[in-house]
Structure formats: structure tokens, C-alpha cells
Amino acid sequence: KARKNNPELEITGCLMFTNKCFLQVLEGPPEKVQTIFEQISADPRHHDIVIVDRHTIESRRFNNWSMALIENSQSNETAMNEILGGSYEHITKVSVNKIIDFMEAALSLNRAAIVDLK
């Protein structure tokens, strides 16, 4: 669905999963990001959804990806544990920025198995 809908909605972003959770960044016009978020929230496969941060950005970090996918790996799991101090319960603004930096680096270094869902 993301392949078809995101370009039409001007949405870009990144989805990463670990053994513990999915982490997703959505970028685009606020009303369209809200539409996508509502669709995700309504999907019965998703539960315990938490918005960790929402803010206006000057430029997109994942501009070349309709929705990049960073698949789980031991190295990604280790990096996330280091960023979050082993706890996914209390993600802070600082850790959000570090997670996004990690996602961007993983994509640019091809450090993870990456799929563009365009």
C-alpha cells in the first residue's frame, strides 16, 4: 500500500523494526501525514501505537524514499539498545534524534537490508 499511496500523498519516511518494536518516521504535509497515521492506527495489526515526537521540519531526511525499510539485524538491535539504554519505554526527544540519525546512516551506508517501498 505504501508504494502506491505515499507518492500520491507526498509522504516520505523510514520504517525500522527490531525484536521489540517498529519505529517509523513519516514526512510530508501535516494533513497528509495525519491521514496516513490514522490509517496505520485503524489497522488491527498495529497496537500500542505511541507518537514520540511530532514537529515541523525544514527539509526531509528521507526525501529519496517513499518508505524505506530497515530490516531487523543483530547490529541494528545492538545499536538501538545503545541509543535507548536497553529500554523502549521512555524514548526521549534526544533518543528520537539519535534514532533518525541512525536510520539515515544505515540507509546511506547500506548497513541494513534496505527495501524502497516505492
Side-chain angles (χ1 to χ4, degrees):
K1 258 182 149 177
R3 274 185 259 194
K4 178 180 177 274
N5 295 337
N6 286 358
E8 291 174 12
L9 292 171
E10 303 171 66
I11 298 293
T12 57
C14 185
L15 174 66
M16 181 173 77
F17 65 94
T18 70
N19 289 330
K20 298 179 182 170
C21 70
F22 286 84
L23 302 159
Q24 186 167 27
V25 175
L26 296 171
E27 303 171 319
E31 67 283 353
K32 294 178 181 181
V33 168
Q34 183 62 34
T35 297
I36 292 292
F37 178 74
E38 288 170 5
Q39 291 171 353
I40 291 168
S41 297
D43 187 324
R45 296 173 296 171
H46 305 135
H47 54 88
D48 300 326
I49 296 171
V50 175
I51 297 174
V52 178
D53 188 28
R54 180 182 291 190
H55 64 274
T56 302
I57 57 176
E58 291 181 26
S59 62
R60 295 176 189 236
R61 305 274 299 265
F62 303 100
N63 193 40
N64 295 324
W65 303 92
S66 61
M67 186 56 59
L69 173 65
I70 301 175
E71 295 183 349
N72 191 29
S73 70
Q74 185 58 50
S75 62
N76 291 346
E77 193 75 35
T78 300
M80 291 307 299
N81 281 327
E82 288 176 19
I83 291 169
L84 298 173
S87 173
Y88 285 72
E89 300 295 318
H90 305 289
I91 297 177
T92 66
K93 175 82 171 163
V94 172
S95 58
V96 166
N97 290 332
K98 288 180 180 178
I99 291 166
I100 293 171
D101 289 345
F102 173 78
M103 290 172 154
E104 204 171 30
L107 292 171
S108 67
L109 296 173
N110 201 18
R111 188 172 149 182
I114 301 165
V115 178
D116 182 13
L117 299 179
K118 282 187 178 177

